[in-house]
Each structure stands twice: as structure tokens, then as C-alpha cells.
Amino acid sequence: FFLFLMFGITRRILFVLVALVAILYYKRRPEIIQPSVNLCGAVQVHQPTGLSDFLPGICRKVHVSHQDIVSQVYDCGSDTATNTVILLHGFPDNAKTWRKQIEPLISEGYRVLAPNLRGYDSTSHGDNYHVTALTTDILCITKALDITSYDVIGHDWGALVAHSLAITDPSRVRTITSVAVPPQFVKFGAKMIAKYPTQMLNSWYFSFFQLPFIPELALTKTDFLINYLVTSWSPSFDWKNDPHHHIEEIANTFKISGVASSALSYYRQNSIAFIEDAIGNVLQGGAPYLDIAHPVRGLIPVDTLLITGRDDGCVTTDMYDEELDNIFVNGIFKKTVRLSGGHYIHYESPKEFNQHVIQFLSRRPSKA
């Protein structure tokens, strides 16, 4: 009887484990691709009639058709400018997060592109949200808009895409500015967590987002979670008196059908890729930690500015003090800047942020 009972309990446990694995993997295993403009297919650019819903008179909203989606892009400044800066937002956010950078960059003679990342609007939902797919989206946008060289400024998930763009398109990427996500954490995530265990607490939402249905409800049926994430990640900024009501803008973005599921797919699909890569490293031998290799498996080959906020409640900023070996190509210029503020440092301290960025961009010649 005892053995029978134990067998029954074991079967139930195995059933639960199989069910959990099935739930985690259902439509979550990403296709890891080699980012390339060759994947874009036929690209088309369409500009809707009427003024842009963001910085009208400064930005034009254009729709770029590529692959099987339509990316919505704010194209700001002169389209004949010599240099272009591409601004990539993170989570939870949208392209309007860059409102305090666009005009200063335009005044320095740059054309500025601020796309909504894949899934963050009504027209760009897809099946693949691996960082390599996000990278390909930006390559397709540059192809459609005939951008021959560009600088990239990426925040949060946008920083990961910036790293990937630098590796896959080094002949056209002049520089990258990586905001709020240290490349040490991207490439050596497990080692960084082992050394800075408080990051596990900061990253609690990674686990929460693996649950089915509940995170979608939390992001769409109430503004509480978005308010909590933004204000706890940037605790020193007075969000209540933000004249642009940016948290409300973010919440409205997540009320668009499909946006919450798409944004959560970033965490679900890339987490699975992380686990599979880690297990692969161990099975191949010689890996002392469960480390994630960079999704494009290469060294960053362009000059890089790293910016972090001292009070970032999302990412442990001490990780920026770690060595940068095996992350950058030898001889590449790299600089870390700490500013007063939190995770959304570009929004909180725009004057200092813009000063460092423009100084950094100005030191680099144009690429032919």
C-alpha cells in the first residue's frame, strides 16, 4: 500500500512538472536567427496623413512594412542630415520616452529615429521576440529608410538590441550608448548574480512573467504594476508631477490589444533561450557557471558609452565596476558614466544625459 501510495504521489508530481514545462514552452521557444537585412523581404514606407501624435512639426510618424509586420517609427529632424541616431526604448515603455533627447539631438544636426519595438503597437505583433528578431527589425527599418550609417542609443531591452546591432552591423553602426543594462550582466549573467545576489530580488518580475495569463491581466486591467515598476526602478524622480504624464502614456500603450503579451514574450522567450544556452554550455564542458553567451556570440566592435543611474532599483549598478574582458574588441573606446537618478536616467536627468551623449557622439567621425 505504501509503495502504491508513493507511486501515485510520484506520478502526480511528474504530471505537474510535465504540465509546468508544457506551459512554459507553449509558443515560447524562440527562433534564434542571424540578424540580416536579407531577412527583411520587400520593405515599404508609408506615412499616414495628418500630424504625428508625438512632437508634431518635429517628428513624422512613418510605418515601415517588413517581414510580416509593420513597425511604427517616429522620424524626426531633417531626412537629409548627415548622421542618424536611432533611439530604442525598453520595458515598460514606448518610443515617447525619448522626448527629452530628440530636440537636443536634432539641434546638433542629427536625424533621429525612434521606433516602437516589436509588439509595442497595434501593427508589429509577431511570433518571435528573441533579441535577434528585434535586431533584424531595426536593420529592416534602416534599409527601408536608406540609412547608411547610424549611432544607437538603447535603454533596457533597447540596450540589448544596441549590443546586438553593433555586433551584426559594425560597418554601419558608428557607436552605441547602452543605458541601464551593463554588458557584463548581458554576457555573464549568472556570474554577476552569484556575485551580486540582490539582483535576484531586483529581477523578481522575470519569474512572475513566466506565469500564464496573470501577468497579462496585471498589465492591462489595472495600472498598478506599471506604476510600481516605474516608480520603484526610478524612486527619486517625481513621477506624480511629470508634466508629460509618461507613466500614463506607458499604461495606455499596454492597453492596446496584444501589447502586453508581446512585451511579456521578451521575457518568456529569451529566458528559455538563456536556460537552453546555459545547459548547452555545461554539457559541452568547461563552463564553471551557467552563463549566457551574447545572443549574437561576439565582441562589441564599436565605441561604447555606458550610462547608469546611481539609484537604479532594477539593475545593481555595481556590476558596471566589473572588468570588461571578453566583451569588447581590443582597442575599442568605452566609458562608464554614473548620473543622479534611477533606471529611467535619460528621462530623469536629461540635461546631464544629453551632455554626455552629445559629447560622446561628437568625438566620432562619420563612417563612409
Side-chain angles (χ1 to χ4, degrees):
F1 174 79
F2 178 75
L3 291 175
F4 179 79
L5 179 64
M6 288 299 295
F7 178 70
I9 293 174
T10 302
R11 280 197 307 171
R12 289 182 177 87
I13 293 173
L14 287 174
F15 176 80
V16 170
L17 290 175
V18 170
L20 286 173
V21 170
I23 290 171
L24 289 175
Y25 266 74
Y26 178 65
K27 290 187 177 180
R28 295 187 181 188
R29 194 171 188 273
E31 179 184 2
I32 301 175
I33 60 178
Q34 181 62 41
S36 170
V37 293
N38 296 329
L39 300 175
C40 300
V43 295
Q44 292 183 327
V45 180
H46 169 67
Q47 184 171 342
T49 58
L51 292 175
S52 168
D53 63 340
F54 175 55
L55 299 180
I58 298 172
C59 298
R60 305 163 293 282
K61 192 171 188 178
V62 298
H63 291 182
V64 178
S65 301
H66 59 93
Q67 304 170 86
D68 294 322
I69 67 173
V70 178
S71 294
Q72 298 185 22
V73 184
Y74 294 105
D75 185 356
C76 312
S78 173
D79 57 8
T80 62
T82 302
N83 294 317
T84 299
V85 177
I86 301 178
L87 307 175
L88 305 176
H89 68 83
F91 169 92
D93 218 340
N94 56 39
K96 295 179 181 179
T97 193
W98 300 109
R99 60 167 33 92
K100 300 177 183 180
Q101 281 69 52
I102 290 174
E103 289 188 75
L105 287 168
I106 291 174
S107 67
E108 293 292 325
Y110 293 95
R111 178 184 183 181
V112 180
L113 302 180
N116 285 321
L117 292 187
R118 172 177 286 228
Y120 276 81
D121 48 48
S122 60
T123 61
S124 61
H125 304 301
D127 295 325
N128 191 5
Y129 292 92
H130 189 263
V131 69
T132 53
L134 310 179
T135 302
T136 300
D137 291 346
I138 306 305
L139 294 177
C140 295
I141 291 170
T142 63
K143 176 183 178 181
L145 297 178
D146 196 27
I147 306 298
T148 57
S149 70
Y150 54 99
D151 299 273
V152 187
I153 304 175
H155 172 248
D156 193 81
W157 275 101
L160 272 71
V161 178
H163 300 168
S164 181
L165 281 167
I167 293 168
T168 57
D169 200 18
S171 64
R172 297 196 302 151
V173 175
R174 296 173 67 240
T175 70
I176 64 170
T177 299
S178 175
V179 187
V181 177
Q184 298 94 324
F185 189 39
V186 175
K187 187 147 189 184
F188 303 116
K191 287 181 181 178
M192 294 299 100
I193 289 174
K195 187 168 184 177
Y196 302 101
T198 55
Q199 184 58 48
M200 286 290 289
L201 297 177
N202 292 345
S203 299
W204 64 268
Y205 58 96
F206 268 77
S207 298
F208 174 64
F209 288 166
Q210 305 308 314
L211 298 174
F213 313 123
I214 296 174
E216 279 88 345
L217 294 174
L219 289 169
T220 58
K221 299 304 182 183
T222 173
D223 296 344
F224 172 80
L225 181 57
I226 288 174
N227 269 281
Y228 175 77
L229 292 174
V230 174
T231 56
S232 62
W233 290 353
S234 288
S236 57
F237 185 71
D238 186 6
W239 291 101
K240 289 185 178 179
N241 293 312
D242 174 20
H244 305 292
H245 307 288
H246 187 50
I247 292 182
E248 183 178 339
E249 289 179 331
I250 298 171
N252 288 337
T253 292
F254 277 79
K255 289 181 173 64
I256 299 172
S257 177
V259 168
S261 292
S262 293
L264 291 167
S265 291
Y266 284 48
Y267 293 93
R268 292 167 176 169
Q269 293 190 9
N270 287 278
S271 292
I272 286 177
F274 170 93
I275 293 169
E276 290 185 343
D277 189 70
I279 292 173
N281 284 342
V282 171
L283 293 178
Q284 291 168 13
Y289 294 91
L290 295 178
D291 288 332
I292 181 171
H294 192 284
V296 194
R297 300 182 185 280
L299 303 179
I300 297 175
V302 304
D303 290 358
T304 301
L305 177 64
L306 306 171
I307 302 182
T308 181
R310 295 188 182 93
D311 301 320
D312 193 326
C314 178
V315 177
T316 303
T317 60
D318 288 344
M319 287 189 282
Y320 281 92
D321 296 327
E322 296 297 318
E323 292 296 327
L324 294 171
D325 294 341
N326 300 317
I327 296 176
F328 293 90
V329 171
N330 289 336
I332 290 299
F333 175 87
K334 47 193 178 294
K335 179 181 180 181
T336 299
V337 173
R338 280 184 167 85
L339 300 177
S340 296
H343 191 64
Y344 293 84
I345 190 63
H346 61 289
Y347 198 89
E348 302 168 67
S349 301
K351 183 177 180 180
E352 295 81 4
F353 181 93
N354 296 341
Q355 179 183 352
H356 283 284
V357 167
I358 290 171
Q359 182 182 19
F360 171 65
L361 297 180
S362 300
R363 66 177 294 278
R364 298 295 300 146
S366 299
K367 286 192 176 182

Short mmCIF file of all heavy atoms in Angstrom, two decimals, residues 218-242:
data_model
loop_
_atom_site.label_atom_id
_atom_site.label_comp_id
_atom_site.label_asym_id
_atom_site.label_seq_id
_atom_site.Cartn_x
_atom_site.Cartn_y
_atom_site.Cartn_z
N ALA A 218 -2.40 41.69 -15.07
CA ALA A 218 -1.80 42.70 -14.20
C ALA A 218 -1.36 43.94 -14.98
O ALA A 218 -1.36 45.05 -14.44
CB ALA A 218 -0.61 42.10 -13.46
N LEU A 219 -1.01 43.75 -16.24
CA LEU A 219 -0.53 44.87 -17.06
C LEU A 219 -1.64 45.60 -17.80
O LEU A 219 -1.43 46.73 -18.27
CB LEU A 219 0.51 44.38 -18.07
CG LEU A 219 1.87 43.97 -17.51
CD1 LEU A 219 2.70 43.26 -18.57
CD2 LEU A 219 2.64 45.18 -16.98
N THR A 220 -2.80 44.99 -17.91
CA THR A 220 -3.86 45.58 -18.74
C THR A 220 -5.10 46.00 -17.96
O THR A 220 -5.76 46.98 -18.33
CB THR A 220 -4.29 44.59 -19.84
OG1 THR A 220 -4.74 43.37 -19.25
CG2 THR A 220 -3.13 44.30 -20.79
N LYS A 221 -5.42 45.29 -16.89
CA LYS A 221 -6.67 45.57 -16.18
C LYS A 221 -6.51 46.63 -15.10
O LYS A 221 -7.50 47.15 -14.59
CB LYS A 221 -7.22 44.28 -15.55
CG LYS A 221 -7.53 43.19 -16.56
CD LYS A 221 -8.51 43.69 -17.64
CE LYS A 221 -8.86 42.58 -18.63
NZ LYS A 221 -9.75 43.07 -19.72
N THR A 222 -5.30 46.93 -14.75
CA THR A 222 -5.02 47.96 -13.75
C THR A 222 -3.67 48.58 -14.07
O THR A 222 -2.82 47.95 -14.71
CB THR A 222 -5.00 47.36 -12.33
OG1 THR A 222 -4.56 48.37 -11.40
CG2 THR A 222 -4.07 46.17 -12.24
N ASP A 223 -3.46 49.82 -13.63
CA ASP A 223 -2.18 50.50 -13.86
C ASP A 223 -1.20 50.26 -12.71
O ASP A 223 -0.08 50.78 -12.73
CB ASP A 223 -2.41 52.01 -14.00
CG ASP A 223 -3.25 52.35 -15.22
OD1 ASP A 223 -3.40 51.48 -16.11
OD2 ASP A 223 -3.77 53.49 -15.29
N PHE A 224 -1.60 49.48 -11.71
CA PHE A 224 -0.78 49.34 -10.51
C PHE A 224 0.61 48.80 -10.82
O PHE A 224 1.62 49.35 -10.35
CB PHE A 224 -1.47 48.43 -9.49
CG PHE A 224 -0.59 48.08 -8.31
CD1 PHE A 224 -0.42 48.99 -7.28
CD2 PHE A 224 0.11 46.88 -8.26
CE1 PHE A 224 0.41 48.70 -6.20
CE2 PHE A 224 0.94 46.58 -7.19
CZ PHE A 224 1.08 47.49 -6.15
N LEU A 225 0.71 47.71 -11.58
CA LEU A 225 2.01 47.08 -11.80
C LEU A 225 2.94 48.01 -12.57
O LEU A 225 4.13 48.14 -12.22
CB LEU A 225 1.85 45.76 -12.55
CG LEU A 225 3.15 44.99 -12.83
CD1 LEU A 225 3.90 44.70 -11.54
CD2 LEU A 225 2.87 43.69 -13.60
N ILE A 226 2.44 48.66 -13.61
CA ILE A 226 3.29 49.58 -14.37
C ILE A 226 3.74 50.73 -13.48
O ILE A 226 4.92 51.11 -13.48
CB ILE A 226 2.54 50.10 -15.61
CG1 ILE A 226 2.42 48.96 -16.64
CG2 ILE A 226 3.26 51.30 -16.22
CD1 ILE A 226 1.58 49.30 -17.84
N ASN A 227 2.83 51.29 -12.69
CA ASN A 227 3.21 52.35 -11.76
C ASN A 227 4.26 51.87 -10.78
O ASN A 227 5.24 52.58 -10.51
CB ASN A 227 1.97 52.83 -10.98
CG ASN A 227 1.26 53.98 -11.66
OD1 ASN A 227 1.69 55.12 -11.57
ND2 ASN A 227 0.19 53.67 -12.36
N TYR A 228 4.08 50.66 -10.25
CA TYR A 228 5.02 50.13 -9.26
C TYR A 228 6.40 49.92 -9.88
O TYR A 228 7.42 50.30 -9.28
CB TYR A 228 4.50 48.82 -8.69
CG TYR A 228 5.48 48.17 -7.75
CD1 TYR A 228 5.64 48.64 -6.45
CD2 TYR A 228 6.29 47.12 -8.18
CE1 TYR A 228 6.57 48.07 -5.59
CE2 TYR A 228 7.21 46.54 -7.33
CZ TYR A 228 7.35 47.02 -6.03
OH TYR A 228 8.28 46.46 -5.19
N LEU A 229 6.45 49.31 -11.06
CA LEU A 229 7.74 49.06 -11.69
C LEU A 229 8.49 50.36 -11.97
O LEU A 229 9.67 50.50 -11.62
CB LEU A 229 7.55 48.27 -12.99
CG LEU A 229 7.05 46.82 -12.84
CD1 LEU A 229 6.77 46.22 -14.21
CD2 LEU A 229 8.05 45.97 -12.07
N VAL A 230 7.82 51.30 -12.60
CA VAL A 230 8.49 52.54 -12.99
C VAL A 230 8.95 53.33 -11.77
O VAL A 230 10.09 53.80 -11.69
CB VAL A 230 7.57 53.40 -13.88
CG1 VAL A 230 8.22 54.76 -14.16
CG2 VAL A 230 7.26 52.68 -15.19
N THR A 231 8.07 53.48 -10.79
CA THR A 231 8.42 54.30 -9.63
C THR A 231 9.43 53.63 -8.71
O THR A 231 10.24 54.31 -8.07
CB THR A 231 7.16 54.67 -8.83
OG1 THR A 231 6.47 53.47 -8.43
CG2 THR A 231 6.21 55.53 -9.66
N SER A 232 9.42 52.29 -8.63
CA SER A 232 10.41 51.61 -7.79
C SER A 232 11.76 51.52 -8.49
O SER A 232 12.80 51.49 -7.83
CB SER A 232 9.92 50.22 -7.41
OG SER A 232 9.74 49.40 -8.55
N TRP A 233 11.77 51.50 -9.80
CA TRP A 233 13.03 51.47 -10.54
C TRP A 233 13.67 52.86 -10.62
O TRP A 233 14.89 52.97 -10.75
CB TRP A 233 12.80 50.93 -11.95
CG TRP A 233 12.47 49.47 -11.97
CD1 TRP A 233 12.49 48.60 -10.93
CD2 TRP A 233 12.06 48.70 -13.12
NE1 TRP A 233 12.12 47.34 -11.33
CE2 TRP A 233 11.85 47.37 -12.67
CE3 TRP A 233 11.85 49.00 -14.46
CZ2 TRP A 233 11.44 46.35 -13.54
CZ3 TRP A 233 11.45 47.99 -15.32
CH2 TRP A 233 11.25 46.68 -14.86
N SER A 234 12.86 53.89 -10.55
CA SER A 234 13.38 55.27 -10.54
C SER A 234 12.74 56.00 -9.36
O SER A 234 11.88 56.87 -9.52
CB SER A 234 13.05 55.99 -11.86
OG SER A 234 13.85 55.49 -12.91
N PRO A 235 13.16 55.65 -8.13
CA PRO A 235 12.46 56.13 -6.94
C PRO A 235 12.67 57.60 -6.61
O PRO A 235 11.88 58.17 -5.86
CB PRO A 235 13.03 55.24 -5.83
CG PRO A 235 14.40 54.85 -6.31
CD PRO A 235 14.26 54.72 -7.81
N SER A 236 13.71 58.21 -7.14
CA SER A 236 14.00 59.59 -6.76
C SER A 236 13.34 60.61 -7.68
O SER A 236 13.41 61.82 -7.42
CB SER A 236 15.51 59.82 -6.75
OG SER A 236 16.10 59.52 -8.01
N PHE A 237 12.69 60.16 -8.75
CA PHE A 237 12.05 61.08 -9.69
C PHE A 237 10.61 61.33 -9.26
O PHE A 237 9.91 60.42 -8.81
CB PHE A 237 12.08 60.51 -11.10
CG PHE A 237 11.56 61.46 -12.16
CD1 PHE A 237 12.28 62.58 -12.51
CD2 PHE A 237 10.35 61.21 -12.78
CE1 PHE A 237 11.81 63.44 -13.48
CE2 PHE A 237 9.86 62.07 -13.76
CZ PHE A 237 10.60 63.19 -14.10
N ASP A 238 10.15 62.57 -9.42
CA ASP A 238 8.80 62.95 -9.02
C ASP A 238 7.84 62.65 -10.17
O ASP A 238 7.45 63.54 -10.93
CB ASP A 238 8.77 64.43 -8.64
CG ASP A 238 7.41 64.86 -8.08
OD1 ASP A 238 6.55 63.98 -7.89
OD2 ASP A 238 7.22 66.08 -7.87
N TRP A 239 7.45 61.40 -10.28
CA TRP A 239 6.58 60.98 -11.38
C TRP A 239 5.19 61.60 -11.28
O TRP A 239 4.54 61.84 -12.31
CB TRP A 239 6.46 59.46 -11.40
CG TRP A 239 7.73 58.78 -11.80
CD1 TRP A 239 8.63 58.18 -10.97
CD2 TRP A 239 8.27 58.64 -13.13
NE1 TRP A 239 9.69 57.67 -11.69
CE2 TRP A 239 9.49 57.93 -13.01
CE3 TRP A 239 7.83 59.03 -14.39
CZ2 TRP A 239 10.27 57.61 -14.12
CZ3 TRP A 239 8.60 58.72 -15.50
CH2 TRP A 239 9.81 58.03 -15.36
N LYS A 240 4.71 61.86 -10.07
CA LYS A 240 3.37 62.43 -9.91
C LYS A 240 3.24 63.80 -10.56
O LYS A 240 2.16 64.18 -11.02
CB LYS A 240 3.01 62.51 -8.43
CG LYS A 240 2.76 61.15 -7.78
CD LYS A 240 2.31 61.30 -6.34
CE LYS A 240 2.02 59.94 -5.71
NZ LYS A 240 1.60 60.08 -4.29
N ASN A 241 4.34 64.55 -10.57
CA ASN A 241 4.31 65.89 -11.15
C ASN A 241 5.00 65.96 -12.51
O ASN A 241 5.41 67.03 -12.95
CB ASN A 241 4.95 66.89 -10.18
CG ASN A 241 4.12 67.06 -8.91
OD1 ASN A 241 2.91 67.26 -8.98
ND2 ASN A 241 4.76 66.97 -7.76
N ASP A 242 5.13 64.82 -13.17
CA ASP A 242 5.70 64.78 -14.51
C ASP A 242 4.73 65.48 -15.47
O ASP A 242 3.60 65.01 -15.66
CB ASP A 242 5.92 63.33 -14.94
CG ASP A 242 6.36 63.20 -16.39
OD1 ASP A 242 6.87 64.19 -16.96
OD2 ASP A 242 6.20 62.10 -16.96
#
